[in-house]
Amino acid sequence: MSSHSPFRFGATVTHIESRATLQEQARRLEGEGWSTLLMRDHVGAPSMFAPLMSAAAATVDLRVGTLVANNGLHHPVRLAQEAATVDLLVDGRLELGLGAGWNRSESDLLGIAHEASPQRVTRLHNSIATMKSAWAGDLRLPAADGTEGERAVLPGVQRPHIPLLIGGHGDAILALAAQQADIVGLNGLTVAGSTAKPTGVGYDAIADRVQFLRAHAGERMNVIELSTLALVTSIDGDTESTVRDVASGLQIAPTVVHDSPLVLVGSTSEVVDKLVAVREQLGISYIVVRDTAMHEMGPVVAELAGT
């Protein structure tokens, strides 16, 4: 992938007060040059798809997406059906983020078996194959006479399929992403039970993950968009104090925090320079932050989006 791929910016929505406030937020994102509004898939949070349709209805070009749908909570045919319907109703602006499902407590609450990581990644691989087959029209309902009948899932608007984002840090999930994803999200997180720990946030760790992707993607790397979800965003504040606090909280060296592609701390110009350097060196061009960072990220987005 070219290090000069245009910058895109996305914001994850964590809380929804009302339809009006969500749509106001979506219009603001579009007006400021952001690319995507994204929803999580967690028990206890708003559901994924309904807010995306509401946000798309209030905007013209803003893309919407999931970051990420928990594969363990959804049947792949039904998820393919839901995503294709949403893609139709948002005029082909959907990006479908998929994850293997790391949170054991959610699985336990819903009475769903929580498999070990290798099995969950294998299940995600099989789900993606099923969804792509469904969107292509290869998955058919049986007719009354035993022959193939109507397609099981209608296609979305986008071809050959809705863009897929796969995110993670471990070898198995990134090897899958290298072969199947249109967008790969690098999050620096390792998981133990129901806890995700940012053990791989350092520059060298992320660079290693990019190199791993290149080795497994081959020529596909030219069409993969690399993304990060910022763990910390603090712009035009007390940089050194923030770095010290984050380093203490994560129990890592302040220099690691300062250099991490997942930490956006500093003045507007410093963050802009950092993102440009990270794109040049690692090819990461799609930056996602939490909605609480929208206001402070505005000047950065204004300067870099689309460049």
Side-chain angles (χ1 to χ4, degrees):
M1 178 174 201
S2 168
S3 62
H4 296 288
S5 298
F7 277 111
R8 292 205 299 146
F9 293 88
T12 61
V13 172
T14 53
H15 299 92
I16 298 175
E17 296 179 6
S18 67
R19 176 182 60 83
T21 57
L22 174 65
Q23 292 189 335
E24 179 183 357
Q25 189 175 41
R27 285 189 290 266
R28 175 181 170 184
L29 287 171
E30 182 170 64
E32 292 181 354
W34 297 69
S35 174
T36 46
L37 181 150
L38 301 151
M39 294 298 302
R40 305 180 304 160
D41 184 21
H42 288 297
V43 178
S47 63
M48 295 184 296
F49 289 126
L52 299 182
M53 293 172 61
S54 183
T59 55
V60 177
D61 298 314
L62 185 71
R63 296 183 66 78
V64 295
T66 60
L67 197 72
V68 288
N70 181 345
N71 182 61
L73 307 184
H74 305 278
H75 190 285
V77 175
R78 295 291 283 169
L79 183 57
Q81 179 187 38
E82 190 79 7
T85 303
V86 172
D87 196 45
L88 174 66
L89 295 177
V90 302
D91 301 321
R93 288 186 272 156
L94 178 66
E95 297 173 6
L96 183 64
L98 298 168
W102 59 268
N103 194 321
R104 178 183 293 273
S105 64
E106 293 182 345
S107 300
D108 292 345
L109 177 66
L110 298 175
I112 299 172
H114 189 80
E115 299 169 311
S117 178
Q119 287 71 43
R120 285 185 279 117
V121 174
T122 297
R123 184 181 293 275
L124 178 59
H125 178 276
N126 294 337
S127 293
I128 291 171
T130 297
M131 286 189 284
K132 286 185 175 181
S133 177
W135 289 327
D138 298 331
L139 193 64
R140 299 273 173 170
L141 295 167
D145 60 3
T147 61
E148 285 190 345
E150 296 180 353
R151 58 187 300 157
V153 173
L154 296 176
V157 173
Q158 300 174 88
R159 299 290 186 272
H161 56 77
I162 297 163
L164 297 180
L165 179 150
I166 300 175
H169 184 74
D171 286 358
I173 191 69
L174 290 184
L176 173 61
Q179 296 302 314
Q180 298 293 333
D182 303 287
I183 308 164
V184 177
L186 301 166
N187 60 25
L189 300 176
T190 55
V191 177
S194 296
T195 303
K197 297 182 178 180
T199 58
V201 302
Y203 181 92
D204 290 343
I206 298 300
D208 174 79
R209 298 292 78 194
V210 172
Q211 185 60 35
F212 180 90
L213 275 169
R214 291 189 184 281
H216 285 76
E219 292 185 359
R220 283 201 79 247
M221 199 67 184
N222 294 323
V223 297
I224 291 175
E225 183 178 37
L226 296 184
S227 176
T228 55
L229 171 62
L231 297 178
V232 178
T233 307
S234 178
I235 299 174
D236 293 330
D238 187 338
T239 300
E240 296 307 317
S241 175
T242 301
V243 168
R244 285 196 303 270
D245 290 346
V246 173
S248 176
L250 299 182
Q251 297 184 327
I252 55 180
T255 54
V256 175
V257 173
H258 185 272
D259 295 339
S260 171
L262 307 182
V263 177
L264 304 180
V265 176
S267 66
T268 296
S269 61
E270 287 172 334
V271 171
V272 165
D273 290 345
K274 181 177 187 176
L275 291 177
V276 170
V278 166
R279 183 177 65 173
E280 290 290 336
Q281 297 159 10
L282 302 180
I284 297 170
S285 59
Y286 182 18
I287 313 301
V288 179
V289 301
R290 291 172 174 82
D291 54 358
T292 53
M294 276 179 55
H295 177 72
E296 56 188 332
M297 275 294 290
V300 176
V301 174
E303 186 162 345
L304 291 181
T307 65

